[in-house]
mmCIF file of all heavy atoms in Angstrom:
data_model
loop_
_atom_site.group_PDB
_atom_site.id
_atom_site.type_symbol
_atom_site.label_atom_id
_atom_site.label_comp_id
_atom_site.label_asym_id
_atom_site.label_seq_id
_atom_site.Cartn_x
_atom_site.Cartn_y
_atom_site.Cartn_z
ATOM 1 N N ILE A 1331 -11.515 21.511 12.186
ATOM 2 C CA ILE A 1331 -10.071 21.642 12.019
ATOM 3 C C ILE A 1331 -9.535 22.621 13.064
ATOM 4 O O ILE A 1331 -10.022 23.750 13.171
ATOM 5 C CB ILE A 1331 -9.729 22.152 10.596
ATOM 6 C CG1 ILE A 1331 -10.328 21.213 9.547
ATOM 7 C CG2 ILE A 1331 -8.226 22.278 10.423
ATOM 8 C CD1 ILE A 1331 -9.836 19.794 9.611
ATOM 9 N N GLU A 1332 -8.567 22.150 13.830
ATOM 10 C CA GLU A 1332 -7.974 22.988 14.876
ATOM 11 C C GLU A 1332 -6.469 23.054 14.685
ATOM 12 O O GLU A 1332 -5.844 22.074 14.256
ATOM 13 C CB GLU A 1332 -8.257 22.403 16.280
ATOM 14 C CG GLU A 1332 -9.715 22.075 16.547
ATOM 15 C CD GLU A 1332 -10.596 23.294 16.692
ATOM 16 O OE1 GLU A 1332 -10.067 24.425 16.678
ATOM 17 O OE2 GLU A 1332 -11.818 23.125 16.816
ATOM 18 N N SER A 1333 -5.897 24.202 15.035
ATOM 19 C CA SER A 1333 -4.437 24.320 14.999
ATOM 20 C C SER A 1333 -3.839 23.581 16.193
ATOM 21 O O SER A 1333 -4.536 23.291 17.170
ATOM 22 C CB SER A 1333 -4.033 25.794 15.032
ATOM 23 O OG SER A 1333 -4.611 26.434 16.156
ATOM 24 N N VAL A 1334 -2.547 23.295 16.103
ATOM 25 C CA VAL A 1334 -1.812 22.708 17.239
ATOM 26 C C VAL A 1334 -0.537 23.514 17.430
ATOM 27 O O VAL A 1334 0.283 23.615 16.507
ATOM 28 C CB VAL A 1334 -1.441 21.232 16.989
ATOM 29 C CG1 VAL A 1334 -0.637 20.681 18.166
ATOM 30 C CG2 VAL A 1334 -2.693 20.389 16.769
ATOM 31 N N ILE A 1335 -0.407 24.102 18.611
ATOM 32 C CA ILE A 1335 0.816 24.846 18.901
ATOM 33 C C ILE A 1335 1.671 24.044 19.878
ATOM 34 O O ILE A 1335 1.149 23.277 20.689
ATOM 35 C CB ILE A 1335 0.538 26.260 19.473
ATOM 36 C CG1 ILE A 1335 -0.296 26.196 20.752
ATOM 37 C CG2 ILE A 1335 -0.145 27.123 18.432
ATOM 38 C CD1 ILE A 1335 -0.469 27.543 21.436
ATOM 39 N N ARG A 1336 2.982 24.193 19.744
ATOM 40 C CA ARG A 1336 3.911 23.509 20.653
ATOM 41 C C ARG A 1336 4.163 24.444 21.834
ATOM 42 O O ARG A 1336 4.825 25.480 21.679
ATOM 43 C CB ARG A 1336 5.236 23.213 19.952
ATOM 44 C CG ARG A 1336 5.132 22.224 18.808
ATOM 45 C CD ARG A 1336 6.532 21.886 18.295
ATOM 46 N NE ARG A 1336 6.499 20.826 17.302
ATOM 47 C CZ ARG A 1336 6.524 21.029 15.978
ATOM 48 N NH1 ARG A 1336 6.622 22.265 15.506
ATOM 49 N NH2 ARG A 1336 6.483 20.016 15.148
ATOM 50 N N LEU A 1337 3.655 24.049 23.002
ATOM 51 C CA LEU A 1337 3.775 24.947 24.145
ATOM 52 C C LEU A 1337 5.236 25.159 24.548
ATOM 53 O O LEU A 1337 5.602 26.241 25.005
ATOM 54 C CB LEU A 1337 2.956 24.414 25.329
ATOM 55 C CG LEU A 1337 2.762 25.404 26.474
ATOM 56 C CD1 LEU A 1337 2.111 26.703 25.997
ATOM 57 C CD2 LEU A 1337 1.946 24.794 27.596
ATOM 58 N N ARG A 1338 6.057 24.134 24.354
ATOM 59 C CA ARG A 1338 7.481 24.316 24.666
ATOM 60 C C ARG A 1338 8.052 25.513 23.903
ATOM 61 O O ARG A 1338 8.731 26.370 24.471
ATOM 62 C CB ARG A 1338 8.266 23.066 24.276
ATOM 63 C CG ARG A 1338 8.311 21.992 25.322
ATOM 64 C CD ARG A 1338 9.139 20.828 24.850
ATOM 65 N NE ARG A 1338 9.382 19.888 25.928
ATOM 66 C CZ ARG A 1338 10.406 19.983 26.770
ATOM 67 N NH1 ARG A 1338 11.284 20.954 26.639
ATOM 68 N NH2 ARG A 1338 10.557 19.106 27.735
ATOM 69 N N ALA A 1339 7.791 25.547 22.607
ATOM 70 C CA ALA A 1339 8.327 26.633 21.782
ATOM 71 C C ALA A 1339 7.703 27.969 22.176
ATOM 72 O O ALA A 1339 8.378 28.999 22.212
ATOM 73 C CB ALA A 1339 8.069 26.330 20.311
ATOM 74 N N VAL A 1340 6.417 27.938 22.474
ATOM 75 C CA VAL A 1340 5.719 29.184 22.839
ATOM 76 C C VAL A 1340 6.305 29.767 24.124
ATOM 77 O O VAL A 1340 6.407 30.986 24.276
ATOM 78 C CB VAL A 1340 4.206 28.907 22.995
ATOM 79 C CG1 VAL A 1340 3.484 30.130 23.544
ATOM 80 C CG2 VAL A 1340 3.596 28.495 21.661
ATOM 81 N N LEU A 1341 6.724 28.882 25.039
ATOM 82 C CA LEU A 1341 7.291 29.340 26.314
ATOM 83 C C LEU A 1341 8.800 29.541 26.237
ATOM 84 O O LEU A 1341 9.428 29.855 27.248
ATOM 85 C CB LEU A 1341 6.963 28.338 27.429
ATOM 86 C CG LEU A 1341 5.477 28.116 27.732
ATOM 87 C CD1 LEU A 1341 5.314 27.171 28.917
ATOM 88 C CD2 LEU A 1341 4.755 29.423 28.003
ATOM 89 N N GLY A 1342 9.367 29.308 25.060
ATOM 90 C CA GLY A 1342 10.803 29.514 24.912
ATOM 91 C C GLY A 1342 11.638 28.383 25.474
ATOM 92 O O GLY A 1342 12.823 28.577 25.779
ATOM 93 N N LEU A 1343 11.048 27.192 25.602
ATOM 94 C CA LEU A 1343 11.792 26.032 26.102
ATOM 95 C C LEU A 1343 12.364 25.243 24.924
ATOM 96 O O LEU A 1343 11.798 25.276 23.828
ATOM 97 C CB LEU A 1343 10.866 25.114 26.919
ATOM 98 C CG LEU A 1343 10.205 25.749 28.137
ATOM 99 C CD1 LEU A 1343 9.167 24.810 28.737
ATOM 100 C CD2 LEU A 1343 11.259 26.096 29.181
ATOM 101 N N PRO A 1344 13.455 24.513 25.150
ATOM 102 C CA PRO A 1344 14.019 23.712 24.052
ATOM 103 C C PRO A 1344 13.087 22.568 23.674
ATOM 104 O O PRO A 1344 12.223 22.169 24.451
ATOM 105 C CB PRO A 1344 15.330 23.182 24.638
ATOM 106 C CG PRO A 1344 15.162 23.267 26.113
ATOM 107 C CD PRO A 1344 14.240 24.400 26.379
ATOM 108 N N ASP A 1345 13.293 22.032 22.471
ATOM 109 C CA ASP A 1345 12.494 20.893 21.998
ATOM 110 C C ASP A 1345 12.655 19.710 22.933
ATOM 111 O O ASP A 1345 13.696 19.528 23.552
ATOM 112 C CB ASP A 1345 12.955 20.473 20.599
ATOM 113 C CG ASP A 1345 12.303 21.321 19.530
ATOM 114 O OD1 ASP A 1345 11.382 22.075 19.858
ATOM 115 O OD2 ASP A 1345 12.748 21.245 18.364
ATOM 116 N N SER A 1346 11.602 18.908 23.011
ATOM 117 C CA SER A 1346 11.685 17.679 23.805
ATOM 118 C C SER A 1346 12.138 16.570 22.875
ATOM 119 O O SER A 1346 11.365 16.077 22.068
ATOM 120 C CB SER A 1346 10.325 17.328 24.391
ATOM 121 O OG SER A 1346 9.375 17.208 23.358
ATOM 122 N N ASN A 1347 13.383 16.213 22.969
ATOM 123 C CA ASN A 1347 13.906 15.180 22.074
ATOM 124 C C ASN A 1347 13.590 13.797 22.615
ATOM 125 O O ASN A 1347 13.969 13.445 23.715
ATOM 126 C CB ASN A 1347 15.415 15.343 21.905
ATOM 127 C CG ASN A 1347 15.737 16.609 21.136
ATOM 128 O OD1 ASN A 1347 15.018 16.974 20.219
ATOM 129 N ND2 ASN A 1347 16.801 17.289 21.522
ATOM 130 N N GLY A 1348 12.873 13.043 21.812
ATOM 131 C CA GLY A 1348 12.643 11.639 22.158
ATOM 132 C C GLY A 1348 11.583 11.386 23.207
ATOM 133 O O GLY A 1348 11.448 10.269 23.681
ATOM 134 N N ILE A 1349 10.825 12.404 23.582
ATOM 135 C CA ILE A 1349 9.760 12.178 24.572
ATOM 136 C C ILE A 1349 8.593 11.475 23.895
ATOM 137 O O ILE A 1349 8.126 11.908 22.841
ATOM 138 C CB ILE A 1349 9.309 13.505 25.205
ATOM 139 C CG1 ILE A 1349 10.353 13.953 26.211
ATOM 140 C CG2 ILE A 1349 7.943 13.348 25.877
ATOM 141 C CD1 ILE A 1349 9.925 15.080 27.091
ATOM 142 N N THR A 1350 8.158 10.369 24.488
ATOM 143 C CA THR A 1350 7.008 9.652 23.935
ATOM 144 C C THR A 1350 5.793 9.898 24.835
ATOM 145 O O THR A 1350 5.937 10.289 25.994
ATOM 146 C CB THR A 1350 7.279 8.146 23.857
ATOM 147 O OG1 THR A 1350 7.625 7.689 25.167
ATOM 148 C CG2 THR A 1350 8.404 7.837 22.883
ATOM 149 N N GLY A 1351 4.629 9.666 24.265
ATOM 150 C CA GLY A 1351 3.409 9.792 25.056
ATOM 151 C C GLY A 1351 2.960 11.219 25.267
ATOM 152 O O GLY A 1351 2.229 11.503 26.217
ATOM 153 N N SER A 1352 3.405 12.126 24.396
ATOM 154 C CA SER A 1352 2.936 13.500 24.541
ATOM 155 C C SER A 1352 1.438 13.564 24.229
ATOM 156 O O SER A 1352 0.886 12.645 23.615
ATOM 157 C CB SER A 1352 3.728 14.433 23.632
ATOM 158 O OG SER A 1352 3.435 14.171 22.280
ATOM 159 N N ARG A 1353 0.815 14.636 24.637
ATOM 160 C CA ARG A 1353 -0.624 14.787 24.470
ATOM 161 C C ARG A 1353 -0.947 16.151 23.870
ATOM 162 O O ARG A 1353 -0.134 17.081 23.933
ATOM 163 C CB ARG A 1353 -1.344 14.674 25.819
ATOM 164 C CG ARG A 1353 -1.231 13.310 26.474
ATOM 165 C CD ARG A 1353 -2.099 12.296 25.765
ATOM 166 N NE ARG A 1353 -2.080 11.000 26.422
ATOM 167 C CZ ARG A 1353 -1.237 10.017 26.142
ATOM 168 N NH1 ARG A 1353 -0.302 10.216 25.208
ATOM 169 N NH2 ARG A 1353 -1.300 8.859 26.766
ATOM 170 N N ILE A 1354 -2.155 16.244 23.306
ATOM 171 C CA ILE A 1354 -2.646 17.536 22.815
ATOM 172 C C ILE A 1354 -3.843 17.929 23.664
ATOM 173 O O ILE A 1354 -4.834 17.190 23.737
ATOM 174 C CB ILE A 1354 -3.051 17.450 21.325
ATOM 175 C CG1 ILE A 1354 -1.821 17.136 20.460
ATOM 176 C CG2 ILE A 1354 -3.697 18.749 20.871
ATOM 177 C CD1 ILE A 1354 -2.162 16.843 19.011
ATOM 178 N N LEU A 1355 -3.733 19.063 24.327
ATOM 179 C CA LEU A 1355 -4.875 19.618 25.055
ATOM 180 C C LEU A 1355 -5.666 20.465 24.070
ATOM 181 O O LEU A 1355 -5.078 21.271 23.343
ATOM 182 C CB LEU A 1355 -4.408 20.501 26.218
ATOM 183 C CG LEU A 1355 -3.425 19.888 27.219
ATOM 184 C CD1 LEU A 1355 -3.021 20.943 28.247
ATOM 185 C CD2 LEU A 1355 -4.051 18.694 27.908
#
Side-chain angles (χ1 to χ4, degrees):
Chain A
I1331 303 300
E1332 309 290 355
S1333 55
V1334 178
I1335 58 174
R1336 295 187 173 98
L1337 192 56
R1338 274 182 170 272
V1340 173
L1341 299 184
L1343 301 172
D1345 276 350
S1346 57
N1347 292 323
I1349 284 191
T1350 56
S1352 68
R1353 295 286 184 269
I1354 296 172
L1355 306 177

